[in-house]
Amino acid sequence: MKALVIERKNIKNNIKIIRDIINENDKDDQGNKVKIIAVVKGNGYGLGLVEYSQFLKDNGIDILAVATVEEAIKLRDGGIQEDIIMMSSTGVKKDIEKLLKKDIIITIGSKEAGEAVEEMAKKLGKKARVHIKIDTGFGRYGFIYNKREEMVEQIKSWENIQIEGTFSHFSLAFYGKGEEARQQLNRFMECVEVLKMNEIETGMLHICNSSAFLRFKDMHLNAVRIGSALLGRLSIPNVWGLKRVGYLKSNVAEIKTLPAGYNIGYSNSYTTKKETKVAIVPCGYADGFNVKVDKDMFRRIDKIRYIVRDIKNAFKKQELFVKINNKKYKILGRLGMYHVTIDITGTDIKINDEVVFEVSPMLVDSEIKREYV
């Protein structure tokens, strides 16, 4: 039986390290301790949305953030009573109505979204809890930072909206010396000052994602949004002792001995050089093994970098390994959609022995069981 195994002790380790970074000296300008907003988008980064959120809640995390209406509703229906922020601004009234009925904190990042939230809150006789999103150079959700007068005019027209936070999002916090992040932070704080000058409550201020939190301590503000760091899977070198969370397991389904000169897998890409004992394991790329999010930048310089990298890789020996009984074994032939063939020559590996695959939890099929240990 396949399962994504999630080690509780590793998540606890990561929570402790994050809390240690937010120490007694790391307080906001009101003297309050910086809060942790746990980002649980993408099915809890693959760890199972409700199960993961419940675990975080049990370990003292009381603010969660998601990216979709569906995720927010699923958390409430799953029994999560803590604050939930839906970070994507929307002007779709039927979605806003669902969020309001479930007491979800809504993000407003445009005139249209603000008008829609105001209308639905009035209709339901509720005070909408919201965070304001300011686009400081990401080009996605949010009021554009240099159109502050329009933002102020829109916000002052609200009567059924309560602002509990204001935030932005870095576009390049994981690379370089931080000049771009600093510029975005300055733009954000200028907008915050304008809001305060116009007697608009800004609430909790937050701009840091995991990379920015770890790299730029002076940018923590009132709260930090932590996602990938809780899983120990960073876009920057891990020098803090964060532990990776999650591995995929399956079992040996079949064992056979192949003669020399025998083809294995699609395209006859591997031929045995000698008699070879192999294990067949029902797990492949459809389950999330060796799946990569790649080549997602389209500037000419990025394309050139990809070409150079691919040429270099063409001269490297490309091999994939799994672990059985805590030892590494090589995969033979092309990776299949649901199966791999593993060289176990000279071993006493048996049918049903557990096989461990290194994976990114977010890329593991959501139908596969999540098993917390």
Side-chain angles (χ1 to χ4, degrees):
M1 175 69 74
K2 282 178 284 197
L4 178 67
V5 180
I6 299 150
E7 309 97 322
R8 289 187 175 92
K9 68 179 186 298
N10 288 357
I11 306 177
K12 287 182 178 180
N13 169 80
N14 297 343
I15 292 173
K16 181 181 184 303
I17 289 171
I18 290 163
R19 284 202 173 117
D20 286 345
I21 293 171
I22 304 175
N23 54 40
E24 290 303 317
N25 297 319
D26 190 7
K27 295 182 179 180
D28 63 24
D29 54 9
Q30 282 84 46
N32 300 312
K33 199 166 185 179
V34 172
K35 291 183 176 294
I36 297 172
I37 300 172
V39 181
V40 294
K41 64 184 180 181
N43 192 29
Y45 279 81
L47 303 187
L49 179 62
V50 176
E51 302 97 313
Y52 179 45
S53 298
Q54 184 67 50
F55 181 86
L56 293 174
K57 169 193 152 184
D58 292 344
N59 284 273
I61 304 293
D62 57 7
I63 308 175
L64 304 171
V66 296
T68 70
V69 175
E70 291 77 14
E71 290 171 337
I73 301 303
K74 186 173 181 180
L75 279 180
R76 274 288 182 261
D77 290 347
I80 302 296
Q81 299 302 314
E82 280 62 32
D83 281 348
I84 301 168
I85 306 169
M86 207 288 272
M87 295 188 297
S88 305
S89 176
T90 179
V92 179
K93 293 177 184 177
K94 64 179 180 180
D95 287 342
I96 293 168
E97 182 175 13
K98 292 176 185 176
L99 295 171
L100 287 170
K101 287 180 176 178
K102 295 291 184 177
D103 191 32
I104 306 297
I105 299 171
I106 298 171
T107 290
I108 297 179
S110 68
K111 176 178 182 292
E112 294 75 16
E115 289 173 346
V117 173
E118 174 70 17
E119 179 183 329
M120 294 310 303
K122 183 176 181 180
K123 175 184 174 183
L124 295 174
K126 300 191 70 157
K127 199 82 167 176
R129 304 171 65 199
V130 310
H131 281 210
I132 302 300
K133 175 71 179 288
I134 299 174
D135 181 355
T136 55
F138 199 101
R140 205 163 60 183
Y141 299 108
F143 291 99
I144 297 176
Y145 72 94
N146 59 5
K147 295 183 178 180
R148 296 187 282 268
E149 294 78 10
E150 295 177 17
M151 177 174 60
V152 168
E153 181 182 358
Q154 170 65 14
I155 293 173
K156 279 188 167 290
S157 71
W158 298 341
E159 297 179 354
N160 298 281
I161 292 174
Q162 176 181 319
I163 299 172
E164 297 189 3
T166 306
F167 73 104
S168 189
H169 189 44
F170 289 131
S171 62
L172 192 64
F174 60 90
Y175 180 76
K177 296 181 180 179
E179 292 93 341
E180 296 87 353
R182 182 70 55 190
Q183 182 182 54
Q184 282 191 257
L185 176 67
N186 291 339
R187 290 169 177 171
F188 177 67
M189 295 311 297
E190 286 170 6
C191 288
V192 169
E193 285 306 310
V194 169
L195 292 175
K196 288 181 176 179
M197 284 169 55
N198 283 273
E199 299 182 340
I200 294 172
E201 174 59 52
T202 57
M204 176 194 299
L205 304 178
H206 50 106
I207 194 169
C208 282
N209 57 6
S210 289
S211 294
F213 163 70
L214 294 168
R215 296 186 68 203
F216 311 125
K217 186 174 179 179
D218 64 318
M219 299 185 186
H220 289 179
L221 304 179
N222 304 129
V224 291
R225 301 189 302 271
I226 307 298
S228 58
L230 285 165
L231 281 73
R233 296 175 180 272
L234 305 174
S235 302
I236 56 178
N238 181 2
V239 297
W240 296 273
L242 296 164
K243 293 184 179 180
R244 286 201 162 197
V245 173
Y247 63 85
L248 187 60
K249 73 173 183 179
S250 186
N251 303 88
V252 174
E254 183 173 299
I255 293 174
K256 63 195 334 180
T257 300
L258 303 176
Y262 208 88
N263 290 321
I264 295 177
Y266 290 113
S267 304
N268 296 335
S269 61
Y270 184 88
T271 303
T272 57
K273 296 177 178 62
K274 60 182 181 180
E275 186 174 86
T276 304
K277 183 180 179 183
V278 299
I280 314 301
V281 181
C283 189
Y285 63 79
D287 301 307
F289 177 56
N290 199 42
V291 175
K292 298 175 182 176
V293 177
D294 203 3
K295 297 185 178 179
D296 60 345
M297 293 186 285
F298 307 105
R299 299 175 301 175
R300 181 173 296 176
I301 186 62
D302 296 318
K303 292 179 181 179
I304 292 171
R305 287 194 185 105
Y306 291 141
I307 292 170
V308 171
R309 186 189 62 185
D310 290 344
I311 291 172
K312 287 180 178 178
N313 286 340
F315 292 95
K316 293 179 181 178
K317 193 172 184 180
Q318 303 292 319
E319 294 181 325
L320 286 174
F321 294 88
V322 298
K323 280 188 177 181
I324 307 175
N325 302 328
N326 293 316
K327 291 184 179 180
K328 286 174 66 174
Y329 294 91
K330 186 168 73 173
I331 292 175
L332 303 178
R334 284 181 59 180
L335 182 66
M337 189 173 185
Y338 286 108
H339 301 89
V340 294
T341 303
I342 301 166
D343 186 350
I344 59 168
T345 304
T347 73
D348 61 352
I349 289 171
K350 301 177 181 61
I351 297 289
N352 204 43
D353 278 357
E354 186 173 288
V355 184
V356 172
F357 297 79
E358 173 62 33
V359 295
S360 169
M362 183 172 274
L363 301 178
V364 173
D365 184 357
S366 60
E367 295 298 314
I368 289 176
K369 178 186 176 184
R370 269 57 180 170
E371 184 178 296
Y372 279 74
V373 296

